Amino acid sequence: SYVLTQPPSVSVAPGKTATITCGGDNIGTKSVHWYQQKPGQAPVMVIYYDNDRPSGIPERFSGSHSGNTATLTISRVDAGDEADYYCQVWHTGSDLGVFGGGTKLTVL
Amino acid sequence: EAQLVQSGAEVKKPGESLRISCEGSGYSFTNFWIGWVRQRPGKGLEWMGLIHPGDSDTKYSPSFQGQVIISADKSIRTAYLQWNNLKASDTAMYYCARPYFVARHDAFNIWGQGTMVTVSS
């Protein structure tokens, strides 16, 4: 099975840039999606197909991927960005979806 | 506006059966896959499987194959997640979700509100 590895936690000061990674074998060849989940709420898609943002998601959110790592970057972080973030890919070999373990973003 | 509305919270005993539902509205129900995602208390998201309501084509993650049944009734625009022998380890929040576009590998951009299932003796 395909495994996606995320750091359990990332901390950042307000106004700074948060970087959340998602590691997977040749993830650079796959389409990566990212979700934000705040406590008690359903997940929200923030990035799809590597670096596309749905309407309503600020331009501060961006994605990239290369080699074995995908990255979600949140610039000018504010308290409202504090949440869990999950990466997700479609593994064509098994024809199934896979989530990363999630990263808790703390705004100091 | 497309939305998914799930059935309410459930409390069951080990060994019991259960079916929870997810009703779609505001879009062409038979054109989009619907997926199910588990989230155990304090844990991450787990991709369970999905179904295409148009033809009932279904895919399961190996971890959930044989443990749950995913089905859909397109006449009432509703997808289901079913257990025939609940275990305490099935205690979790379950979300249904719809991809952004019609392909099953698309990102989930429409999510239900979640259904909490508690299994306890």
Side-chain angles (χ1 to χ4, degrees), chain A residues 33 35 37 41-43 45 48-49 54 86 88 90 95-101, chain B residues 39 43-45 47 59-62 95 100-101 104-109 111-112:
Chain A
H33 314 305
Y35 304 88
Q37 187 182 32
Q41 298 183 19
M45 181 182 74
Y48 64 101
Y49 286 121
Y86 297 89
Q88 185 239 316
W90 188 268
D95 202 20
L96 296 169
V98 179
F99 285 105
Chain B
Q39 187 168 39
K43 302 299 183 181
L45 305 176
W47 198 93
K59 299 192 178 297
Y60 294 93
S61 170
Y95 294 100
Y100 200 0
F101 304 109
R104 59 179 174 269
H105 57 264
D106 291 329
F108 290 136
N109 82 312
W111 292 74

Side-chain angles (χ1 to χ4, degrees), chain A residues 18-43:
Chain A
T19 300
I20 298 173
T21 59
C22 174
D25 186 38
N26 282 322
I27 196 172
T29 64
K30 303 182 184 301
S31 294
V32 183
H33 314 305
W34 291 92
Y35 304 88
Q36 174 195 69
Q37 187 182 32
K38 296 182 178 179
Q41 298 183 19

Side-chain angles (χ1 to χ4, degrees), chain B residues 24-45:
Chain B
S25 63
Y27 71 96
S28 179
F29 185 74
T30 53
N31 283 354
F32 290 83
W33 293 78
I34 288 185
W36 288 95
V37 177
R38 182 174 78 178
Q39 187 168 39
R40 286 173 164 157
K43 302 299 183 181
L45 305 176

